[in-house]
Amino acid sequence: GKAYRNYTDDHTKLFLTVQNKVLPRYGFETGQAGVLQMLSVGAKYNDDEEFCSNRALLNELIGMAPAIGEVPAPEKKAAPRPYSQQLLITESLRWAPTLTTRHWQP
């Protein structure tokens, strides 16, 4: 299903199959470390409207955000993971999708 509705480890694995081929072409490591490096470099463009619009469109295409006009289904609550399996989030993104715009909003 759409990742924005219920993100799972399977989504991460799927995204990494592509990211592990693309990221090294641009000087980033493979795996989660490379994704975090890419996000860190990309964060300096968070104030650029075209960058944010393109990122929003990409997120729609890969299921990380609802399409414009799509009514999101009620959020499903996943069972909590054991502490030993919880991910450490080291990056925070300032952009969040809305139903009315593809542009970043502070």
Side-chain angles (χ1 to χ4, degrees):
K2 299 231 177 187
Y4 77 90
R5 289 188 179 147
N6 185 30
Y7 193 87
T8 67
D9 289 338
D10 289 336
H11 290 104
T12 299
K13 290 174 189 171
L14 176 63
F15 296 150
L16 282 174
T17 62
V18 175
Q19 291 165 332
N20 284 338
K21 292 178 182 175
V22 174
L23 292 175
R25 294 180 190 171
Y26 296 92
F28 300 109
E29 296 177 36
T30 58
Q32 292 287 41
V35 172
L36 293 176
Q37 290 169 344
M38 173 196 65
L39 291 173
S40 178
V41 169
K44 67 182 175 182
Y45 300 102
N46 281 341
D47 293 329
D48 182 275
E49 187 176 328
E50 183 178 6
F51 175 82
C52 292
S53 178
N54 287 338
R55 182 178 57 209
L57 180 58
L58 176 62
N59 283 338
E60 287 178 27
L61 293 172
I62 64 173
M64 290 294 290
I68 299 296
E70 180 181 344
V71 177
E75 190 175 316
K76 294 179 183 178
K77 297 287 183 184
R81 293 180 182 193
Y83 184 76
S84 63
Q85 294 179 0
Q86 293 180 9
L87 297 176
L88 173 64
I89 303 299
T90 59
E91 294 289 326
S92 73
L93 301 178
R94 298 181 339 190
W95 175 84
T98 67
L99 295 178
T100 59
T101 181
R102 291 184 182 169
H103 299 289
W104 171 81
Q105 296 179 356

